[in-house]
Amino acid sequence: MDRTGGFDERPGSAMSNTSSTKSEKEDMWSSMLSSVASSKRLPHKSVLVLGGSAEGQKEFVESLGGGAGSNTSGGNRKGEKRPPIANEFALGYTYLDVLDADHEDVLARLGVYLISEPTPSFIPLLQPLFTPATLPETLVVILLDWSKPWDWMRSIKTWVRLLRGIFTSLDDDCRRTLDEVTHAWETRRSTYTDAGGGEVTIPLGPGEFDEPLGLPLCVVCYNADKIGMLERERGWKEEAFDFVLQFLRTVLLKHGASLIYTTPSAPSPIRLLILSLLSIQSSSRQQPLKHNVIDRDRVLVPPHWDSWGKIRVLREGFDVEGIGSGWSIDISPGSTDQSGVDDGAVEIYEEVIKDPKRGDPEGLNILNKSGSSGGIEVSAVDTQVFLAGQMELLEAKAAEEVAAKGEKEDKYNPASGEEAMEQHVGPVQFNVGGIQVDPENMLERIKEREQTRTSEREPTPPNPTGSEVESQIEVLSAFFTELKKKGVTKGASPGS
């Protein structure tokens, strides 16, 4: 204390030293707490899911580990209740945590936004999702259902044009952020590190990333188990599935997008694909994604992998240049959404992969040289045409019945039976006085003998003896003919 009775706080005094030590300890604890809080701050990522049915969207979320029926390595810790998926009306939402390989630490939190229909009235709901802070951490996913593959190109076109319309309406800061994201995505594709540690830049190929959307894009074709149904019931051939795959790859190459086919309750690399697109490394031992364009129900095209040359290899004759140019026309601001108006890629696709509701019962018009696609559906025939065809069938059936009746009458005709018997058993012979006699042969010999006697005689006027001889010949001929008939009627030769 000083002379006035107060505390001495001059530099170097005991009180001054105690205060400075206390202040230093508080600063140290604040720094430590701040660093711990910073390390525990979770990175937030956003996934915008467009299209698909309510069930299809739930299956997609569950494949990432966020649904109640999921058994993947993501989602919440063991024993924790998973959040519900609200996607019945307008803009749906759910979230899930991405865990590490040991299921202990949370690596990131995903906010999943879901919308089923590209309704213009939903645009005000989507615009607040895109801010300078959220755009670099956002991924767009388009769901396509294998039960309706004829709608795919028009669906992708509608969603791409809707997103582009939203992005053009954002403020300057958001548009600058989109440009930065596009540049970073392009650099990620064209730059890699060589063996010496230096960066090497590879130019983009033709038709590659020339229509950037602004955000990473992934297209998921779910319900791939319906491929077998298309093959059995609608007559799809291998050429049709190759055409669809080549078309998808050509279109998505222009946006730098990835592609994957999934089957419900079947193992799939979709979770690894989504996490890699969001730059989330779930494991230090994580293997790189391997492409697959051979197995038609397990297709996987990773980002920055595809090219025109690889698309042509799948099946010759596919016009990648024409399809790419037509797609640029389809998504341009001046195009329309009406079917048959634009001469773009969508019309080419729908001309080959037809919708059964629009006049093609098989839903297919590709490489079917025989003229029939093998589908089980049949188109209705005009009533008059049907009745005329039935009349022709009835007339043909009546003619067949008349012909069959004539054959039946011939079958019971005695003369025809006699001829048939002669063809099978030969001439009929009789036993006369122990001698086998052939009636026909005997008649011929009697006639020849009488003709010889008549020719040897001198020409004389006709007398009664000639007529008597002729009458005797007729009597004998009738006698032997009657014997033949009796033998045929009994069914056996008398001389046997």
Side-chain angles (χ1 to χ4, degrees), residues 40-267:
K40 292 296 183 180
R41 189 177 299 120
L42 291 177
H44 285 262
K45 307 284 185 176
S46 298
V47 179
L48 178 60
V49 181
L50 306 176
S53 61
E55 290 299 323
Q57 291 178 347
K58 289 181 179 179
E59 290 176 2
F60 170 75
V61 175
E62 289 175 0
S63 67
L64 302 181
S70 174
N71 54 8
T72 57
S73 58
N76 295 54
R77 294 182 179 90
K78 184 177 181 179
E80 292 186 1
K81 185 178 180 180
R82 290 172 175 173
I85 302 174
N87 64 337
E88 297 296 333
F89 306 101
L91 181 64
Y93 176 77
T94 189
Y95 69 91
L96 61 144
D97 294 335
V98 180
L99 304 179
D100 61 2
D102 298 327
H103 296 187
E104 294 181 356
D105 296 331
V106 179
L107 302 178
R109 171 161 291 179
L110 299 184
V112 184
Y113 301 88
L114 311 110
I115 184 169
S116 297
E117 298 294 335
T119 306
S121 58
F122 293 165
I123 292 179
L125 300 176
L126 294 175
Q127 286 176 332
L129 303 180
F130 305 115
T131 65
T134 59
L135 284 172
E137 312 297 337
T138 301
L139 168 68
V140 177
V141 175
I142 297 179
L143 298 182
L144 302 176
D145 191 349
W146 260 111
S147 62
K148 298 183 292 183
W150 38 83
D151 293 338
W152 284 3
M153 288 302 112
R154 190 163 296 276
S155 178
I156 296 176
K157 169 187 172 180
T158 304
W159 286 117
V160 168
R161 296 190 62 209
L162 183 140
L163 289 175
R164 282 190 164 185
I166 295 176
F167 292 160
T168 55
S169 66
L170 299 178
D171 57 28
D172 294 340
D173 291 338
C174 290
R175 288 201 294 269
R176 279 194 296 269
T177 304
L178 285 173
D179 292 339
E180 294 173 357
V181 172
T182 301
H183 178 71
W185 193 251
E186 181 179 356
T187 304
R188 184 177 175 181
R189 154 63 180 85
S190 60
T191 304
Y192 78 99
T193 304
D194 59 10
E199 291 187 351
V200 178
T201 301
I202 302 176
L204 298 175
E208 182 179 1
F209 206 55
D210 56 4
E211 294 284 354
L213 185 61
L215 294 176
L217 173 64
C218 177
V219 172
V220 179
C221 302
Y222 66 100
N223 284 339
D225 54 325
K226 300 292 178 61
I227 290 178
M229 181 271 293
L230 293 171
E231 201 170 25
R232 293 187 304 271
E233 300 183 6
R234 303 198 179 277
W236 280 43
K237 307 297 182 183
E238 199 68 31
E239 295 85 350
F241 296 105
D242 289 345
F243 177 83
V244 171
L245 179 56
Q246 287 179 304
F247 215 104
L248 280 172
R249 291 170 60 185
T250 302
V251 167
L252 298 182
L253 182 64
K254 299 178 73 64
H255 302 295
S258 54
L259 172 67
I260 187 171
Y261 292 1
T262 63
T263 301
S265 304

Side-chain angles (χ1 to χ4, degrees), residues 406-421 488:
E407 292 178 358
K408 185 176 181 180
E409 291 177 354
D410 291 341
K411 179 178 179 182
Y412 294 100
N413 189 351
S416 61
E418 181 180 339
E419 294 175 357
M421 180 65 70
V488 172

Side-chain angles (χ1 to χ4, degrees), residues 226-407:
K226 300 292 178 61
I227 290 178
M229 181 271 293
L230 293 171
E231 201 170 25
R232 293 187 304 271
E233 300 183 6
R234 303 198 179 277
W236 280 43
K237 307 297 182 183
E238 199 68 31
E239 295 85 350
F241 296 105
D242 289 345
F243 177 83
V244 171
L245 179 56
Q246 287 179 304
F247 215 104
L248 280 172
R249 291 170 60 185
T250 302
V251 167
L252 298 182
L253 182 64
K254 299 178 73 64
H255 302 295
S258 54
L259 172 67
I260 187 171
Y261 292 1
T262 63
T263 301
S265 304
S268 172
I270 186 172
R271 181 174 183 271
L272 296 179
L273 175 63
I274 298 300
L275 295 184
S276 66
L277 292 173
L278 291 170
S279 301
I280 300 176
Q281 188 75 17
S282 60
S283 174
S284 59
R285 301 181 299 275
Q286 181 175 324
Q287 297 295 326
L289 292 168
K290 184 175 179 58
H291 65 275
N292 184 357
V293 294
I294 303 300
D295 301 325
R296 65 185 184 184
D297 58 343
R298 293 193 295 270
V299 168
L300 172 60
V301 180
H304 317 308
W305 174 83
D306 218 349
S307 66
W308 276 6
K310 295 175 182 176
I311 295 173
R312 287 192 181 100
V313 168
L314 185 60
R315 187 171 294 274
E316 296 181 358
F318 185 79
D319 183 14
V320 289
E321 295 90 344
I323 299 303
S325 301
W327 184 252
S328 297
I329 296 174
D330 286 332
I331 61 177
S332 61
S335 65
T336 64
D337 290 329
Q338 299 298 323
S339 177
V341 176
D342 297 330
D343 187 17
V346 174
E347 279 65 37
I348 297 175
Y349 180 85
E350 293 179 350
E351 182 65 25
V352 177
I353 309 298
K354 291 189 175 182
D355 185 352
K357 297 180 181 178
R358 297 179 182 175
D360 184 8
E362 286 80 23
L364 178 64
N365 182 24
I366 182 172
L367 298 177
N368 198 341
K369 300 179 181 179
S370 63
S372 63
S373 65
I376 63 174
E377 297 89 348
V378 293
S379 57
V381 182
D382 183 72
T383 305
Q384 297 301 323
V385 175
F386 172 77
L387 294 176
Q390 294 299 312
M391 177 62 70
E392 294 178 357
L393 293 176
L394 291 175
E395 291 176 352
K397 185 177 181 180
E400 291 177 358
E401 291 178 353
V402 171
K405 185 176 181 181
E407 292 178 358

